[in-house]
Amino acid sequence: MAETDNIEVPPYFLCPITLETMKDPVTVATGITYDRESIERWIFSQKNTTCPVTKQDLKSLDLTPNITLRRLIQAWCTLHAVERLPTPKPPATVPQISKLLEDTQSPTRRRKSLQTLKSIAAQSQTNKRSLESAGAAAVLSAIVVNQTLSNPQLFDDGDGDAGAAAGDALSILYSLQLSESGLKTLANPQFIESLTLIMQSGSYESRTYSIMLLNPILEESSNPNLLINLTPEFFTQISQTLKDQISPKATKSSLKALITSISWGRNRIKAVESGAVPALIDLLLESSDKRTSEMALTALDSLCQCADGRSGLLTHSAGLAVVSKKILRISSAASERAVRILQSVSRHSSTPAVLQEMLQIGVVAKLCLIVQVDCGSKIRERAREILRTHSRAWRNSPCVPVNLMLSYPCS
Protein backbone atom coordinates (compact mmCIF):
# COMPACT_ATOMS: atom_id res chain seq x y z
CA MET A 1 0.00 0.00 0.00
CA ALA A 2 1.30 3.51 -0.81
CA GLU A 3 0.28 7.08 -0.06
CA THR A 4 -0.74 7.51 -3.68
CA ASP A 5 -3.70 5.15 -3.24
CA ASN A 6 -5.86 8.14 -2.17
CA ILE A 7 -6.20 6.64 1.30
CA GLU A 8 -5.83 8.96 4.26
CA VAL A 9 -2.86 7.51 6.10
CA PRO A 10 -2.64 8.28 9.85
CA PRO A 11 0.71 9.70 11.04
CA TYR A 12 1.54 6.59 13.05
CA PHE A 13 1.36 4.52 9.85
CA LEU A 14 4.60 5.98 8.46
CA CYS A 15 8.18 5.19 9.39
CA PRO A 16 9.91 8.42 10.57
CA ILE A 17 13.09 7.52 8.63
CA THR A 18 11.74 6.93 5.16
CA LEU A 19 8.02 7.84 5.28
CA GLU A 20 7.32 4.35 4.01
CA THR A 21 4.46 2.20 5.27
CA MET A 22 5.23 0.84 8.72
CA LYS A 23 4.77 -2.91 8.51
CA ASP A 24 6.60 -4.17 11.57
CA PRO A 25 6.94 -1.41 14.23
CA VAL A 26 9.82 -1.79 16.66
CA THR A 27 11.11 0.50 19.37
CA VAL A 28 14.78 1.36 19.87
CA ALA A 29 16.56 2.19 23.13
CA THR A 30 15.62 5.90 22.90
CA GLY A 31 11.90 5.07 22.89
CA ILE A 32 11.27 6.00 19.24
CA THR A 33 9.36 3.54 17.08
CA TYR A 34 10.43 2.69 13.51
CA ASP A 35 9.63 0.12 10.89
CA ARG A 36 11.92 -2.86 11.45
CA GLU A 37 13.26 -3.01 7.89
CA SER A 38 14.07 0.72 7.83
CA ILE A 39 15.80 0.89 11.22
CA GLU A 40 17.74 -2.31 10.53
CA ARG A 41 18.98 -0.80 7.28
CA TRP A 42 19.96 2.37 9.20
CA ILE A 43 21.84 0.47 11.92
CA PHE A 44 23.26 -2.62 10.25
CA SER A 45 23.67 -1.78 6.56
CA GLN A 46 24.55 1.89 6.94
CA LYS A 47 26.54 1.32 10.16
CA ASN A 48 24.87 4.06 12.21
CA THR A 49 24.82 3.92 16.00
CA THR A 50 22.47 6.85 16.74
CA CYS A 51 18.71 7.28 16.82
CA PRO A 52 17.67 8.97 13.54
CA VAL A 53 15.16 11.27 15.32
CA THR A 54 16.83 12.17 18.62
CA LYS A 55 20.44 11.80 17.38
CA GLN A 56 21.26 10.10 20.69
CA ASP A 57 23.68 7.20 20.82
CA LEU A 58 21.96 3.83 20.93
CA LYS A 59 23.40 2.16 24.02
CA SER A 60 21.70 -1.06 22.93
CA LEU A 61 20.91 -2.21 19.40
CA ASP A 62 18.05 -4.41 20.58
CA LEU A 63 14.76 -3.81 18.76
CA THR A 64 11.60 -4.31 20.82
CA PRO A 65 8.39 -5.12 18.89
CA ASN A 66 5.73 -2.44 19.43
CA ILE A 67 2.76 -4.77 19.60
CA THR A 68 0.28 -2.05 20.59
CA LEU A 69 1.07 0.08 17.56
CA ARG A 70 0.95 -2.94 15.27
CA ARG A 71 -2.55 -3.75 16.52
CA LEU A 72 -3.65 -0.15 16.00
CA ILE A 73 -2.39 -0.26 12.41
CA GLN A 74 -4.19 -3.53 11.74
CA ALA A 75 -7.38 -2.16 13.32
CA TRP A 76 -7.18 0.92 11.12
CA CYS A 77 -6.79 -1.30 8.06
CA THR A 78 -9.88 -3.28 9.07
CA LEU A 79 -11.91 -0.12 9.75
CA HIS A 80 -11.06 1.39 6.36
CA ALA A 81 -11.47 -1.86 4.39
CA VAL A 82 -7.77 -1.95 3.58
CA GLU A 83 -5.91 -5.24 3.27
CA ARG A 84 -4.41 -6.01 6.65
CA LEU A 85 -0.66 -6.13 6.92
CA PRO A 86 0.45 -9.66 7.75
CA THR A 87 1.64 -10.28 11.28
CA PRO A 88 5.44 -10.33 11.05
CA LYS A 89 7.38 -13.38 12.06
CA PRO A 90 9.23 -12.91 15.35
CA PRO A 91 13.03 -12.82 15.03
CA ALA A 92 14.76 -16.15 15.34
CA THR A 93 16.38 -16.79 18.69
CA VAL A 94 19.97 -17.85 19.18
CA PRO A 95 18.94 -21.25 20.64
CA GLN A 96 16.76 -21.94 17.57
CA ILE A 97 19.63 -21.03 15.26
CA SER A 98 22.13 -23.06 17.30
CA LYS A 99 19.90 -26.14 16.94
CA LEU A 100 19.73 -25.67 13.15
CA LEU A 101 23.50 -25.21 12.97
CA GLU A 102 23.92 -28.41 14.96
CA ASP A 103 21.63 -30.23 12.53
CA THR A 104 23.86 -29.24 9.61
CA GLN A 105 26.42 -31.73 10.92
CA SER A 106 24.05 -34.58 10.08
CA PRO A 107 24.23 -35.64 6.40
CA THR A 108 20.52 -36.51 6.44
CA ARG A 109 19.39 -33.19 7.94
CA ARG A 110 22.02 -30.88 6.44
CA ARG A 111 20.18 -29.66 3.32
CA LYS A 112 16.90 -28.98 5.13
CA SER A 113 18.70 -27.13 7.94
CA LEU A 114 20.67 -25.01 5.48
CA GLN A 115 17.49 -24.10 3.60
CA THR A 116 15.84 -23.05 6.86
CA LEU A 117 18.87 -20.98 7.85
CA LYS A 118 18.83 -19.36 4.43
CA SER A 119 15.18 -18.40 4.90
CA ILE A 120 15.84 -17.04 8.39
CA ALA A 121 18.72 -14.88 7.16
CA ALA A 122 16.54 -13.42 4.40
CA GLN A 123 13.85 -12.26 6.84
CA SER A 124 15.69 -9.48 8.67
CA GLN A 125 19.00 -7.94 9.65
CA THR A 126 18.27 -8.92 13.24
CA ASN A 127 18.23 -12.56 12.20
CA LYS A 128 21.53 -12.11 10.38
CA ARG A 129 23.13 -10.69 13.52
CA SER A 130 21.71 -13.58 15.55
CA LEU A 131 23.15 -16.07 13.08
CA GLU A 132 26.56 -14.50 13.43
CA SER A 133 26.26 -14.43 17.24
CA ALA A 134 25.42 -18.14 17.21
CA GLY A 135 28.68 -18.94 15.40
CA ALA A 136 27.26 -19.48 11.92
CA ALA A 137 30.42 -18.23 10.18
CA ALA A 138 32.58 -21.02 11.62
CA VAL A 139 30.00 -23.76 11.04
CA LEU A 140 29.11 -22.73 7.48
CA SER A 141 32.72 -22.18 6.43
CA ALA A 142 33.57 -25.66 7.77
CA ILE A 143 30.82 -27.13 5.57
CA VAL A 144 32.25 -25.36 2.52
CA VAL A 145 35.79 -26.54 3.31
CA ASN A 146 34.81 -30.13 4.08
CA GLN A 147 32.64 -30.52 1.01
CA THR A 148 35.17 -29.00 -1.43
CA LEU A 149 38.59 -30.08 -0.16
CA SER A 150 37.48 -33.67 0.39
CA ASN A 151 36.22 -33.79 -3.20
CA PRO A 152 37.97 -31.27 -5.51
CA GLN A 153 35.83 -32.55 -8.43
CA LEU A 154 32.69 -31.87 -6.39
CA PHE A 155 30.91 -29.91 -9.11
CA ASP A 156 32.43 -31.75 -12.08
CA ASP A 157 31.23 -35.12 -10.81
CA GLY A 158 27.64 -33.96 -10.56
CA ASP A 159 27.43 -34.68 -6.83
CA GLY A 160 24.21 -32.72 -6.50
CA ASP A 161 23.62 -32.99 -2.77
CA ALA A 162 27.14 -32.18 -1.60
CA GLY A 163 27.60 -29.46 -4.19
CA ALA A 164 24.26 -27.91 -3.30
CA ALA A 165 25.13 -27.99 0.41
CA ALA A 166 28.37 -26.13 -0.24
CA GLY A 167 26.51 -23.62 -2.42
CA ASP A 168 23.82 -23.06 0.21
CA ALA A 169 26.40 -22.52 2.96
CA LEU A 170 28.27 -20.09 0.73
CA SER A 171 25.17 -18.08 -0.13
CA ILE A 172 24.23 -17.77 3.55
CA LEU A 173 27.74 -16.58 4.43
CA TYR A 174 27.54 -13.91 1.76
CA SER A 175 24.05 -12.77 2.80
CA LEU A 176 25.09 -12.34 6.44
CA GLN A 177 27.25 -9.30 5.63
CA LEU A 178 29.60 -10.40 8.39
CA SER A 179 31.25 -8.00 10.79
CA GLU A 180 35.01 -7.61 10.97
CA SER A 181 35.30 -10.34 13.59
CA GLY A 182 33.08 -12.63 11.53
CA LEU A 183 35.20 -12.13 8.43
CA LYS A 184 38.34 -12.96 10.39
CA THR A 185 36.78 -16.37 11.09
CA LEU A 186 36.89 -17.00 7.33
CA ALA A 187 40.42 -15.66 6.86
CA ASN A 188 42.29 -18.95 6.71
CA PRO A 189 44.14 -20.73 3.87
CA GLN A 190 41.71 -23.68 3.78
CA PHE A 191 38.67 -21.48 3.18
CA ILE A 192 40.50 -19.43 0.53
CA GLU A 193 41.49 -22.68 -1.19
CA SER A 194 37.87 -23.83 -1.11
CA LEU A 195 36.68 -20.57 -2.66
CA THR A 196 39.32 -20.97 -5.36
CA LEU A 197 38.07 -24.47 -6.19
CA ILE A 198 34.49 -23.22 -6.37
CA MET A 199 35.56 -20.37 -8.64
CA GLN A 200 37.13 -22.97 -10.89
CA SER A 201 34.32 -25.53 -11.07
CA GLY A 202 31.19 -24.16 -9.42
CA SER A 203 28.00 -22.83 -10.92
CA TYR A 204 27.78 -19.18 -11.92
CA GLU A 205 25.90 -18.46 -8.69
CA SER A 206 28.46 -20.22 -6.48
CA ARG A 207 31.35 -18.59 -8.33
CA THR A 208 29.75 -15.19 -7.77
CA TYR A 209 29.31 -15.77 -4.03
CA SER A 210 32.93 -16.96 -3.77
CA ILE A 211 34.28 -13.90 -5.53
CA MET A 212 32.16 -11.48 -3.54
CA LEU A 213 33.31 -13.02 -0.26
CA LEU A 214 36.99 -12.93 -1.19
CA ASN A 215 37.59 -9.19 -1.13
CA PRO A 216 36.17 -8.40 2.33
CA ILE A 217 38.03 -11.43 3.74
CA LEU A 218 41.35 -10.27 2.29
CA GLU A 219 40.75 -6.67 3.33
CA GLU A 220 39.85 -7.49 6.93
CA SER A 221 42.53 -10.11 7.46
CA SER A 222 45.21 -9.02 9.92
CA ASN A 223 47.36 -12.00 8.95
CA PRO A 224 49.92 -11.06 6.26
CA ASN A 225 50.60 -14.75 5.62
CA LEU A 226 47.15 -15.02 4.05
CA LEU A 227 48.23 -12.68 1.24
CA ILE A 228 51.75 -14.07 1.02
CA ASN A 229 50.52 -17.64 0.57
CA LEU A 230 47.92 -17.00 -2.13
CA THR A 231 48.44 -19.64 -4.81
CA PRO A 232 48.97 -19.15 -8.54
CA GLU A 233 45.63 -20.93 -9.05
CA PHE A 234 43.93 -18.19 -7.03
CA PHE A 235 45.16 -15.56 -9.49
CA THR A 236 44.30 -17.78 -12.45
CA GLN A 237 40.68 -17.92 -11.29
CA ILE A 238 40.55 -14.17 -10.62
CA SER A 239 41.82 -13.53 -14.14
CA GLN A 240 39.34 -16.02 -15.59
CA THR A 241 36.50 -14.29 -13.78
CA LEU A 242 37.55 -10.97 -15.29
CA LYS A 243 37.47 -12.61 -18.72
CA ASP A 244 34.11 -14.31 -18.17
CA GLN A 245 32.41 -11.19 -16.74
CA ILE A 246 29.79 -13.26 -14.92
CA SER A 247 28.08 -10.13 -13.63
CA PRO A 248 29.03 -6.47 -12.94
CA LYS A 249 29.16 -7.19 -9.19
CA ALA A 250 31.39 -10.23 -9.69
CA THR A 251 33.71 -8.26 -11.97
CA LYS A 252 34.08 -5.43 -9.46
CA SER A 253 34.62 -7.86 -6.60
CA SER A 254 37.31 -9.64 -8.63
CA LEU A 255 39.03 -6.32 -9.30
CA LYS A 256 38.93 -5.41 -5.60
CA ALA A 257 40.36 -8.79 -4.61
CA LEU A 258 43.09 -8.45 -7.22
CA ILE A 259 44.01 -4.93 -6.09
CA THR A 260 44.16 -6.03 -2.45
CA SER A 261 46.23 -9.14 -3.16
CA ILE A 262 48.84 -7.48 -5.42
CA SER A 263 49.66 -4.95 -2.73
CA TRP A 264 52.14 -7.68 -1.75
CA GLY A 265 54.90 -7.39 -4.35
CA ARG A 266 55.51 -11.08 -5.00
CA ASN A 267 51.87 -11.58 -5.87
CA ARG A 268 52.28 -9.28 -8.86
CA ILE A 269 54.38 -11.89 -10.61
CA LYS A 270 51.76 -14.56 -9.87
CA ALA A 271 49.03 -12.30 -11.22
CA VAL A 272 50.96 -11.49 -14.39
CA GLU A 273 51.73 -15.16 -15.02
CA SER A 274 48.02 -15.95 -14.57
CA GLY A 275 47.08 -13.67 -17.47
CA ALA A 276 45.79 -10.74 -15.40
CA VAL A 277 47.30 -8.05 -17.65
CA PRO A 278 45.54 -9.04 -20.91
CA ALA A 279 42.36 -9.68 -18.92
CA LEU A 280 42.48 -6.13 -17.54
CA ILE A 281 43.22 -4.63 -20.96
CA ASP A 282 40.32 -6.51 -22.55
CA LEU A 283 38.07 -5.35 -19.71
CA LEU A 284 39.08 -1.73 -20.35
CA LEU A 285 38.28 -2.20 -24.03
CA GLU A 286 34.81 -3.60 -23.35
CA SER A 287 33.59 -1.80 -20.21
CA SER A 288 32.06 1.66 -20.16
CA ASP A 289 31.45 1.63 -16.40
CA LYS A 290 33.35 4.36 -14.57
CA ARG A 291 34.15 2.45 -11.40
CA THR A 292 35.16 -0.70 -13.28
CA SER A 293 37.56 1.29 -15.47
CA GLU A 294 39.07 3.06 -12.46
CA MET A 295 39.73 -0.22 -10.65
CA ALA A 296 41.09 -1.92 -13.78
CA LEU A 297 43.55 0.95 -14.27
CA THR A 298 44.51 0.82 -10.58
CA ALA A 299 45.30 -2.91 -10.87
CA LEU A 300 47.16 -2.40 -14.14
CA ASP A 301 49.19 0.44 -12.61
CA SER A 302 50.27 -1.84 -9.77
CA LEU A 303 51.18 -4.70 -12.12
CA CYS A 304 53.21 -2.34 -14.32
CA GLN A 305 55.50 -1.69 -11.36
CA CYS A 306 57.22 -4.96 -12.30
CA ALA A 307 59.00 -5.75 -15.58
CA ASP A 308 56.77 -8.69 -16.45
CA GLY A 309 53.69 -6.53 -16.02
CA ARG A 310 55.01 -3.86 -18.37
CA SER A 311 55.99 -6.56 -20.85
CA GLY A 312 52.43 -7.91 -20.74
CA LEU A 313 51.04 -4.45 -21.41
CA LEU A 314 53.36 -3.82 -24.35
CA THR A 315 52.79 -7.29 -25.80
CA HIS A 316 49.04 -6.71 -26.03
CA SER A 317 48.23 -4.98 -29.32
CA ALA A 318 45.82 -2.57 -27.62
CA GLY A 319 47.66 -2.09 -24.31
CA LEU A 320 49.14 1.37 -24.73
CA ALA A 321 46.25 2.58 -26.87
CA VAL A 322 43.48 1.76 -24.40
CA VAL A 323 45.42 3.23 -21.46
CA SER A 324 45.92 6.46 -23.40
CA LYS A 325 42.29 6.51 -24.50
CA LYS A 326 41.02 6.46 -20.90
CA ILE A 327 42.90 9.67 -20.02
CA LEU A 328 40.57 12.70 -19.63
CA ARG A 329 37.53 10.53 -20.44
CA ILE A 330 36.49 8.88 -17.17
CA SER A 331 37.64 10.71 -14.06
CA SER A 332 40.66 12.43 -12.58
CA ALA A 333 41.49 9.23 -10.65
CA ALA A 334 41.42 7.16 -13.84
CA SER A 335 43.55 9.74 -15.66
CA GLU A 336 46.12 9.72 -12.88
CA ARG A 337 46.39 5.93 -12.94
CA ALA A 338 46.69 5.87 -16.73
CA VAL A 339 49.47 8.49 -16.75
CA ARG A 340 51.30 6.56 -14.01
CA ILE A 341 51.20 3.48 -16.25
CA LEU A 342 52.64 5.47 -19.16
CA GLN A 343 55.27 6.89 -16.83
CA SER A 344 56.34 3.38 -15.77
CA VAL A 345 56.67 2.37 -19.41
CA SER A 346 58.56 5.59 -20.21
CA ARG A 347 61.05 5.11 -17.40
CA HIS A 348 61.76 1.40 -17.65
CA SER A 349 60.65 0.02 -21.03
CA SER A 350 61.24 2.85 -23.50
CA THR A 351 62.84 0.99 -26.39
CA PRO A 352 62.91 2.75 -29.80
CA ALA A 353 60.03 0.53 -30.95
CA VAL A 354 57.93 1.42 -27.91
CA LEU A 355 58.62 5.15 -28.32
CA GLN A 356 57.63 4.96 -31.97
CA GLU A 357 54.40 3.13 -31.08
CA MET A 358 53.54 5.75 -28.47
CA LEU A 359 53.98 8.39 -31.13
CA GLN A 360 51.96 6.64 -33.80
CA ILE A 361 48.93 5.67 -31.70
CA GLY A 362 48.52 9.15 -30.21
CA VAL A 363 49.99 8.71 -26.74
CA VAL A 364 52.36 11.66 -27.22
CA ALA A 365 49.55 13.87 -28.52
CA LYS A 366 47.46 12.99 -25.44
CA LEU A 367 50.38 13.88 -23.16
CA CYS A 368 50.72 17.25 -24.88
CA LEU A 369 46.99 17.82 -24.37
CA ILE A 370 47.31 17.04 -20.67
CA VAL A 371 49.91 19.79 -20.34
CA GLN A 372 47.43 22.29 -21.81
CA VAL A 373 44.28 21.48 -19.84
CA ASP A 374 43.38 21.88 -16.17
CA CYS A 375 43.49 18.27 -14.99
CA GLY A 376 45.52 18.45 -11.80
CA SER A 377 49.11 19.45 -11.09
CA LYS A 378 50.34 15.90 -10.42
CA ILE A 379 49.04 14.56 -13.73
CA ARG A 380 50.48 17.51 -15.68
CA GLU A 381 53.86 17.12 -13.99
CA ARG A 382 53.99 13.41 -14.83
CA ALA A 383 53.09 14.18 -18.45
CA ARG A 384 55.79 16.85 -18.64
CA GLU A 385 58.38 14.42 -17.25
CA ILE A 386 57.52 11.82 -19.90
CA LEU A 387 57.68 14.41 -22.69
CA ARG A 388 60.97 15.90 -21.45
CA THR A 389 62.57 12.48 -21.08
CA HIS A 390 61.94 11.58 -24.72
CA SER A 391 61.98 15.03 -26.31
CA ARG A 392 64.67 14.00 -28.82
CA ALA A 393 62.46 11.25 -30.21
CA TRP A 394 59.17 13.15 -30.20
CA ARG A 395 59.67 16.92 -30.23
CA ASN A 396 59.77 17.50 -33.98
CA SER A 397 57.48 14.70 -35.06
CA PRO A 398 54.78 15.43 -37.66
CA CYS A 399 52.51 12.90 -35.86
CA VAL A 400 51.62 15.50 -33.21
CA PRO A 401 49.30 18.37 -34.25
CA VAL A 402 51.00 21.74 -34.32
CA ASN A 403 48.59 23.27 -31.79
CA LEU A 404 49.57 20.55 -29.29
CA MET A 405 53.26 20.60 -30.11
CA LEU A 406 53.38 24.28 -29.14
CA SER A 407 52.85 23.19 -25.55
CA TYR A 408 55.71 20.70 -25.65
CA PRO A 409 57.77 21.35 -22.48
CA CYS A 410 61.32 22.54 -22.81
CA SER A 411 63.90 19.92 -21.86
Side-chain angles (χ1 to χ4, degrees):
M1 183 177 61
E3 284 188 90
T4 55
D5 291 340
N6 296 321
I7 298 175
E8 182 182 356
V9 181
Y12 58 73
F13 212 146
L14 300 178
C15 175
I17 300 179
T18 61
L19 297 184
E20 295 175 351
T21 302
M22 187 177 289
K23 301 175 182 177
D24 184 8
V26 293
T27 303
V28 299
T30 57
I32 305 297
T33 296
Y34 302 93
D35 180 65
R36 180 183 293 278
E37 182 179 350
S38 298
I39 193 62
E40 285 183 344
R41 185 164 59 244
W42 170 266
I43 295 174
F44 300 117
S45 299
Q46 300 176 13
K47 309 298 182 183
N48 293 299
T49 58
T50 58
C51 174
V53 171
T54 66
K55 309 304 180 186
Q56 294 176 305
D57 289 334
L58 294 173
K59 296 181 180 180
S60 170
L61 299 182
D62 292 339
L63 305 176
T64 305
N66 190 328
I67 298 175
T68 301
L69 179 55
R70 188 173 72 229
R71 288 175 177 171
L72 284 172
I73 293 173
Q74 291 177 335
W76 185 93
C77 290
T78 302
L79 182 64
H80 290 78
V82 176
E83 182 180 356
R84 283 168 57 99
L85 297 174
T87 301
K89 294 181 180 180
T93 63
V94 171
Q96 289 174 331
I97 294 171
S98 297
K99 177 62 169 64
L100 288 167
L101 291 173
E102 183 180 339
D103 287 345
T104 62
Q105 307 308 304
S106 168
T108 59
R109 298 195 296 270
R110 179 176 298 135
R111 284 302 311 284
K112 184 177 179 180
S113 298
L114 287 171
Q115 290 293 330
T116 304
L117 289 169
K118 193 174 184 179
S119 176
I120 288 173
Q123 288 172 14
S124 68
Q125 289 287 345
T126 298
N127 283 352
K128 292 177 182 178
R129 301 282 73 80
S130 298
L131 274 161
E132 182 172 349
S133 299
V139 174
L140 295 171
S141 62
I143 291 174
V144 174
V145 170
N146 292 337
Q147 297 293 341
T148 53
L149 297 189
S150 62
N151 181 13
Q153 285 76 42
L154 177 67
F155 297 96
D156 292 339
D157 293 345
D159 189 347
D161 189 60
D168 286 341
L170 201 58
S171 68
I172 298 170
L173 282 171
Y174 171 70
S175 71
L176 291 182
Q177 300 173 338
L178 293 169
S179 65
E180 181 178 345
S181 60
L183 288 170
K184 287 181 179 178
T185 303
L186 309 182
N188 60 78
Q190 292 79 19
F191 189 67
I192 299 298
E193 184 181 354
S194 295
L195 294 183
T196 303
L197 288 170
I198 294 172
M199 287 166 60
Q200 179 180 5
S201 306
S203 64
Y204 270 22
E205 184 179 32
S206 296
R207 290 177 67 193
T208 300
Y209 287 138
S210 297
I211 296 158
M212 296 179 75
L213 270 173
L214 272 172
N215 183 62
I217 292 172
L218 295 177
E219 282 188 334
E220 296 296 341
S221 174
S222 57
N223 181 8
N225 289 327
L226 192 68
L227 289 179
I228 295 172
N229 294 322
L230 289 174
T231 63
E233 184 60 29
F234 168 87
F235 291 98
T236 297
Q237 296 310 317
I238 290 290
S239 299
Q240 188 61 50
T241 304
L242 293 175
K243 295 174 185 175
D244 292 345
Q245 297 188 45
I246 300 172
S247 69
K249 284 187 176 181
T251 297
K252 289 177 182 177
S253 295
S254 298
L255 287 168
K256 290 178 181 178
L258 179 62
I259 291 168
T260 301
S261 58
I262 59 179
S263 60
W264 184 262
R266 294 181 182 178
N267 285 339
R268 293 171 188 164
I269 302 299
K270 298 177 187 176
V272 171
E273 292 176 347
S274 75
V277 172
L280 290 168
I281 295 171
D282 291 341
L283 185 61
L284 286 170
L285 287 168
E286 298 171 9
S287 177
S288 58
D289 180 74
K290 173 184 173 182
R291 183 58 181 152
T292 298
S293 297
E294 287 177 342
M295 289 192 290
L297 287 167
T298 299
L300 200 55
D301 174 29
S302 182
L303 293 178
C304 283
Q305 303 305 309
C306 67
D308 289 347
R310 292 189 297 274
S311 176
L313 174 75
L314 297 174
T315 301
H316 197 292
S317 59
L320 285 173
V322 72
V323 169
S324 175
K325 182 180 179 181
K326 297 299 180 180
I327 297 174
L328 302 180
R329 288 193 174 210
I330 301 175
S331 65
S332 58
S335 295
E336 182 177 356
R337 296 292 184 274
V339 173
R340 280 170 54 93
I341 293 169
L342 297 177
Q343 189 178 41
S344 295
V345 172
S346 169
R347 285 178 175 175
H348 307 292
S349 305
S350 55
T351 64
V354 170
L355 294 178
Q356 185 62 25
E357 181 183 358
M358 294 175 75
L359 191 61
Q360 291 176 343
I361 64 177
V363 174
V364 180
K366 181 63 73 74
L367 292 171
C368 290
L369 179 60
I370 291 172
V371 175
Q372 287 187 343
V373 301
D374 183 14
C375 59
S377 58
K378 287 185 178 180
I379 298 177
R380 286 203 304 271
E381 187 53 43
R382 291 183 193 279
R384 286 194 185 99
E385 179 187 323
I386 299 171
L387 292 171
R388 288 194 197 102
T389 302
H390 304 292
S391 60
R392 289 186 179 182
W394 295 337
R395 186 170 181 82
N396 297 315
S397 172
C399 294
V400 183
V402 175
N403 64 315
L404 294 179
M405 188 56 73
L406 292 175
S407 64
Y408 203 103
C410 297
S411 56

